[in-house]
Amino acid sequence: MSLIKTEKIRKEYGQDSDSMTVALENVSFSIESGEFVAIMGPSGSGKSTLLHILGFLDRQSSGQYFFDSKSIDDYSDDQLAFIRNKKMGFVFQAFNLLPRTTVLENVKLPLVYSGIKESLWDEMAINAIKSVGLEHRIKHDTSHLSGGEKQRVAIARALVNNPQVIFADEPTGNLDTKSGQAIMEILQNLNEKSGHTIILITHETTTAQNAKRIIRIKDGTVESDQKVEKQLRADKEYIK
C-alpha cells in the first residue's frame, strides 16, 4: 500500500471564471513508505501548493488524496491536525524557529501537542538533536546559530515525534553550498539509515538529484516522474 496517493488533484483559487486561477490540474502519483522523492519545479509551478495539500495544510478543490490508504475526506479537521503532528514533520526554508529560546526548547515544541508525557520530552528532544549532530548546542539560543545550524534544529524538531514522513520545503534555499550539502546529507541518512520517507520541494536540479526520484511540476501539472540514476548519485558523492 502507498503511504501517499493522489488521484487527479485539482486546486483552484477564485469564485468565478473571470477571477479563477488553477494552481494544480490532474496531479496523480503514489509515494511508497521509505522513498526519498523530490518535487521539483520553477517558482509558480504549483509545487508549494501541492506540498500544502500533502501536508494537510490545505485541501484540494477536486480529486482524491489518500494518506496511509485512507482518503483525507474521511478525516475530521481534528483528526487531520493530530495526524499532521504525529506522522508528519516539516522543514522550511525560513527555519521558523522560536526567537530568544534555546535549541532544546525549539525541538520540544511539537511535543506540547502530542499527548506524550512531559517527563519524556527532554529525552526525546535530546535524541533528535543528537541525530543531527548538534548536541553541543543544546542550551544555545537559536539566534546565535549559523544558518546551517538553524536548519539542523528545524530538522530535529521535525524528527522529534518520529514521523512517517518529512516534508522539506526548499531546505537549502537560505544556505551556502557547503551548508546546503550538509543538510542534504542529513536527509539522505534519515532516509537510508532510519527509513524515513522524505519529500523534498525544490527548484534546484542539483538539490533534487540528492533524492532517489524526481517528480517535475510545470504549470500545475506533472511533467515527468523519474528515478534518479544510481550513477548520478554516486558521481555527486565522488565529487564531494
Side-chain angles (χ1 to χ4, degrees), residues 208-214 226-233:
Q209 287 168 348
N210 287 276
K212 296 177 181 177
R213 173 183 165 200
I214 300 175
Q226 298 175 324
K227 290 185 177 180
V228 177
E229 295 180 12
K230 290 183 179 180
Q231 185 59 47
L232 178 59
R233 287 169 56 86

Side-chain angles (χ1 to χ4, degrees), residues 77-97:
D77 288 342
D78 286 344
Q79 288 173 324
L80 290 177
F82 178 80
I83 293 170
R84 187 167 58 241
N85 179 262
K86 292 288 290 183
K87 297 187 176 184
M88 298 177 175
F90 296 88
V91 180
F92 297 101
Q93 178 178 345
F95 316 132
N96 293 347
L97 302 180

Side-chain angles (χ1 to χ4, degrees), residues 102-109 111 119-139 152-153 156-157 159-161:
T102 66
V103 169
L104 182 62
E105 291 300 321
N106 268 277
V107 175
K108 285 197 297 184
L109 184 61
L111 299 173
S119 59
L120 301 175
W121 291 1
D122 278 2
E123 180 182 359
M124 293 175 68
I126 289 169
N127 286 338
I129 293 166
K130 287 180 177 178
S131 73
V132 299
L134 271 187
E135 56 267 36
H136 60 296
R137 298 289 200 191
I138 285 177
K139 296 182 180 180
R152 287 174 185 245
V153 176
R157 183 181 57 192
L159 283 173
V160 73
N161 270 328

Side-chain angles (χ1 to χ4, degrees), residues 9 14 35 70 78 116 124 128 145 153 162 167 169 191 230:
I9 290 292
E35 280 199 87
K70 185 175 179 179
D78 286 344
I116 296 172
M124 293 175 68
L145 303 181
V153 176
N162 193 30
F167 294 100
D169 188 5
N191 173 249
K230 290 183 179 180

